[in-house]
Structure formats: C-alpha cells, structure tokens
DNA sequence: GTTAGTATACTAGTATACAAATAGGAGCGG
DNA sequence: CCGCTCCTATTTGTATACTAGTATACTAAC
C-alpha cells in the first residue's frame, strides 16, 4: 500500500505510524483523494486501530486527511485556498525573520546554513533526490528561524504548508532545484552583509517561484487534475 | 474538578470533551502545572478513556498539556518563549492583514465588525464578563482575517496563542478592557479611511498592551508565580 | 539510622470487542 | 425497465480488558 520504513529506537507506535503515514501522504505515495481505512493502515503497520486513530486525528488537524463518520477516511485533495494562505503566511513571516537576521544572527547558525547549502550543492545533477533536497530545504529555513529563537513560528508555518508542499513536489518533479540553491546562497549573503533592503524581493521570489506553473497542474487536461479540490476558486499570483 | 457544560447538539464525544477541557484550561480552571489523569477526566465527563486520549493528543499539539508515558499528564505551565513567539507572529501577520484591509474590505464584514464592537460596549462596567469579552475580541480579529480570506492563518495564530491568551487572562482579571475596545474602534476607522500608515503603531500597542505588566505576575512574590515555567528566560518587550 | 531491595499501586500505551450509522445492492412490485 | 424497500457489509465511534513502565512506600539487611 505504501512504503513502511523501520521503527526508530525510542519511538512509540503512535509516533512511528505518524511519521510513516505523513511521509507517505507528503510524498504523494498516498494520493490526494484516495480512500484509506483505519483497518487497512493498522494491518499495513501491524498495529491495532487505537494508535492509528490518534494519528488520523492529528493529521486531520493538519488538513491532511478528512474523516466522514461511519463512512470513511480520505487523503485531502490539494486545496488552492490553503496554498494561498500558506504562501501569505510564509512570505509575511519569513520576510520579517530575515530582516531581523540582518540585524543580528548567531555565528554558529550561519555556519550551519553554509554547511546545509554545501550539502544541497552535492545533489545537483543527481536524479531522484527530490525528497532529500526538500528535507535540506526545510532544514535551511528552520535554521534561520531557530537563529532568531522562533522555532514554534516555523512549526506553525510548517503545519499550514502541507498543501503548498505537496503541490510544490508535483511542480518540481520535472524541474531542477538549481535556482532554489542560488537563492539560499543569496539569503546567506544578505544576512552576512546586513542588506535588509534586499529581503522583500528575494523572499517573494523564493516562495512563489516553485508554484508559478501550478496552473498547468490544476487545469482540465493535466494528469494530476484529480489531485486538486476544484470546489475552491484558484487564487491568482 | 471543573465546569462541565452540556453537550451541544450534533457534537460527538470527542468534540464535546475537547471543547470542555480546553475551555477549562484556557479559563485557568485547570491550573498550569496541575496533574490531570485520563481516568479522572473520563469520569468527570462520564466517558471512556478513548475519546479523552484523542483529545489529550490534540491538546498536546497545542502545547496545552504535557504527557509523560507511564507517569501522568499535566497542564502545561505558561512558557515565556511561547508568549514571545505568539506575540511576534500576531504582530507580523495582523499588521499585514490590516494593511490589506485598508486596500479593500467587504462591506458586509465591516458591518459585522461594528456589530461586534457594539456588543463589546454593552459589557463596559459589568463584572465577571472577561470570558464573554474575550470571545468577542477573538471574533473581532477573526472577522478581519475572514474579510481577507485568511481564516486558516488566523487558526494558526490561535493555536500558537494558547500561552499568550492564558497570561492575558491573568493580567486582565484586575484591569478593564475599555482601552481594547477603543483600539478596536480605531481598527474600523483605519479600514474605512484607508489609513495604512497608522497600522503599525496601533497593532503593536494592541497586542503588547495586555501583557506589559506580566513581569508582576511572573516574579518571585506573585501569587501566580507557579503558573509559569521559569526554566525559560523571560523575553523583554 | 541509612540504604538497598521489593512489592504495590497507579499511569499511559495498546489491543480488541461491540455499537451505531451509512452506503450499496439484491429483491420485489409496479 | 424503473423505483422502492430492506438487508448486509463496511466504516468510524466507543468502551473495556490487558500490558508495561514508573514512582513510592515498605521491609530487611547492614
């Protein structure tokens, strides 16, 4: 049904199944709109329904599944409205965080940023490294927030970005991530040289770029058409 | 143990217990640091542990309870770091939303805002109306976000504001909310007259004002001292 | 008196049995 | 052939029994 990785040490069954199921949804292995029953999941993970139910409750909070009582559970289709709101929140908060970083930023975190980008560059030209790159990308932005002591703010963004990130995966499967890496380098430059005036432009670009072509994925003749919830109007960027 | 209100129609046991337990925590009826066992809660609500467990998992996500396996469940103490992050996120996002509102805002929502403020004014001078006022206050800000189609952004703020809001309740139990009502009126004025340049000041004031005196609550000789988690450093405003 | 070991009671984690509600199809009457 | 009714299979919702880890109070040895 989906990739079941090994249970990590110190992980209880709930945390374990949360990790595995969420990864499957975010990697589009469990497809938007697909039916998933509690029993199916429990059997796939060799567990009882109890921990699975608690995981589904959590995923429902993140808009990743929808539960209809006595009927079934579905993977949420990608909703344009949630993409738009995530975009708004990310741009607004990340702009402010980057400006703060221009005033002061811990040296140690700056080193972490550089190390992270170095790892990103190692992936250039390789195939099938999308998931690895996405993890590094998320780490990169988390480091910036953490350098400003705003870890929970990043968590809030992350929870709201589930639909944005799934769409981004679709749109990047056919594109390279060179551009994103260059932008990350510019982030570091801006922080190091205190160029707060450059923040506005680069942030907007960095966040909107990956989803600019999303109309192609959304429209009638796209193979991914059914992944989207068409009951919501498509916002314009 | 705590106030158990009646079950609303169409509410399943999980939604019901979530509402009741969260209200009790947010109203400080269940005190920060207090132990609450699943069995206790189940008995108080006349339910089994299953729905209670799912509620506790949800509340843990919102940083409202902490679960230590095989030991117990506690109401989270108020953490300065979470207050600071909530303040940052609220100021940043709400500033941007109010600026957007200056460009355009639905007439119908503007009427809702005015109706809401009218209700707030009816509470002036009355005692014990803190909870009612807080509900109206939350509604007021929600209406603004909803007028910009950013309902989920508000939800994200709200989830992050659980510690901010509990502290605010403490600090307002001895103060009036006249000032807040006046600020709400100014919000409406700003939107109606497109005075984007006034946004910055009023937002900062509105969000920081209620927690300015919080050092009094936090320090050694305060009766509420134990409500706070002193392992975190206190940020400065 | 102090300390190490042990029994016990309490906790959350998990599995399972049962209830309630819905959807879909078989069967029947028109 | 169409439409209605009822039954059944399947789903999530709930309750309960069991497992395993933890803290604590008690006991016995030093």
């Amino acid at each position: 049904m989906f990739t079941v990785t090994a249970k990590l040490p110190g992980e209880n069954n709930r945390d374990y199944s949360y990790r595995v199921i969420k990864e499957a949804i975010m990697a589009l292995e469990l497809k938007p709109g697909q039916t998933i029953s509690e029993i199916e999941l429990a059997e796939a993970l060799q567990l009882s329904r109890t921990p699975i139910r608690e995981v589904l409750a959590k995923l429902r909070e993140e808009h990743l599944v929808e539960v209809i009582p006595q009927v079934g559970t579905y993977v949420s289709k990608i909703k344009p409205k949630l993409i738009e709101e995530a975009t708004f929140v990310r741009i607004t908060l990340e702009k402010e965080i980057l400006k703060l970083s221009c005033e002061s930023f811990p040296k140690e975190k700056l080193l972490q940023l550089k190390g992270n980008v170095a790892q990103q560059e190692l992936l250039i030209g390789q195939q099938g490294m999308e998931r690895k790159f996405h993890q590094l990308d998320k780490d990169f932005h988390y480091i910036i927030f953490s350098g400003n002591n705003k870890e929970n703010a990043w968590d809030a963004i992350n929870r709201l970005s589930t639909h944005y990130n799934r769409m981004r995966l679709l749109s990047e499967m056919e594109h390279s991530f060179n551009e994103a890496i260059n932008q990350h380098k510019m982030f570091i430059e801006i922080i190091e040289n205190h160029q707060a005036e450059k923040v506005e432009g680069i942030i907007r670009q960095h966040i909107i770029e990956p989803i600019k072509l999303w109309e192609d994925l959304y429209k009638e003749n796209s193979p991914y058409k059914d992944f989207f919830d068409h009951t919501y109007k498509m916002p314009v960027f």
Side-chain angles (χ1 to χ4, degrees), chain A:
Chain A
M1 186 183 181
F2 56 91
T3 308
V4 177
T5 56
K7 191 164 154 181
L8 300 174
E11 206 175 33
N12 64 17
N13 288 339
R14 185 176 47 193
D15 296 341
Y16 167 56
S17 28
Y18 174 75
R19 183 172 56 76
V20 170
I21 296 172
K22 178 159 181 182
E23 276 174 5
I25 295 178
M26 293 308 290
L28 299 171
E29 222 177 318
L30 290 173
K31 303 207 185 325
Q34 179 176 350
T35 299
I36 47 173
S37 85
E38 295 178 356
I39 295 176
E40 255 181 343
L41 293 172
E43 282 171 357
L45 289 164
Q46 301 272 52
L47 295 171
S48 77
R49 279 177 55 212
T50 308
I52 301 293
R53 277 185 62 75
E54 291 171 2
V55 165
L56 289 179
K58 195 169 166 180
L59 291 173
R60 201 177 53 161
E61 287 303 298
E62 301 180 44
H63 305 103
L64 278 177
V65 304
E66 275 155 41
V67 179
I68 302 177
Q70 276 73 41
V71 175
T73 304
Y74 309 89
V75 178
S76 294
K77 290 199 177 188
I78 300 175
K79 295 180 186 176
K81 177 158 169 52
L82 279 171
I83 296 177
E84 199 213 345
E85 292 202 49
T87 306
F88 168 76
V89 169
R90 272 203 72 177
I91 290 179
T92 306
L93 289 179
E94 207 142 1
K95 213 191 295 180
E96 194 67 22
I97 282 287
L98 203 54
K99 282 184 190 163
L100 285 177
S101 305
C102 287
E103 292 171 19
S104 79
F105 195 78
K107 268 190 191 145
E108 161 216 354
K109 297 282 176 181
L110 196 61
L111 281 175
Q112 287 181 29
L113 286 181
K114 288 179 180 173
N116 179 289
V117 170
Q119 285 183 271
Q120 290 178 32
E121 288 187 301
L122 292 177
L123 299 180
I124 292 179
Q126 292 187 51
Q127 293 296 319
M129 287 288 112
E130 287 86 7
R131 276 174 81 165
K132 176 75 181 154
F133 173 73
H134 271 106
Q135 187 55 52
L136 285 169
D137 180 84
K138 274 171 70 170
D139 292 348
F140 183 89
H141 292 273
Y142 176 74
I143 294 169
I144 298 182
F145 274 80
S146 129
N148 291 274
N149 284 306
K150 299 284 187 297
E151 292 85 356
N152 293 291
W154 174 251
D155 281 351
I157 288 180
N158 227 8
R159 262 201 304 275
L160 194 58
S161 298
T162 49
H163 289 236
Y164 172 92
N165 284 333
R166 284 190 295 169
M167 203 269 287
R168 185 177 155 184
L169 182 62
L170 273 183
S171 105
E172 277 188 356
M173 291 203 302
E174 297 154 33
H175 299 80
S176 78
F177 33 80
N178 283 15
E179 188 52 33
I181 295 180
N182 282 330
Q183 287 167 353
H184 286 159
K185 287 187 191 165
M186 278 198 253
F187 277 37
I188 295 177
E189 252 186 68
I190 287 173
I191 293 174
E192 274 189 310
N193 303 326
H194 314 290
Q195 300 167 308
E197 73 282 0
K198 290 192 181 171
V199 166
E200 177 98 23
I202 185 84
I203 287 284
R204 283 198 71 84
Q205 195 185 349
H206 187 65
I207 292 170
I208 292 181
E209 196 85 42
I211 59 169
K212 258 191 178 161
L213 303 171
W214 82 303
E215 299 183 11
D216 295 340
L217 303 165
Y218 183 84
K219 65 189 177 189
E220 194 57 38
N221 59 355
S222 158
Y224 303 119
K225 164 177 77 97
D226 288 339
F227 285 7
F228 291 89
D229 185 337
H230 291 259
T231 61
Y232 290 80
K233 256 208 310 226
M234 189 163 89
V236 189
F237 288 103

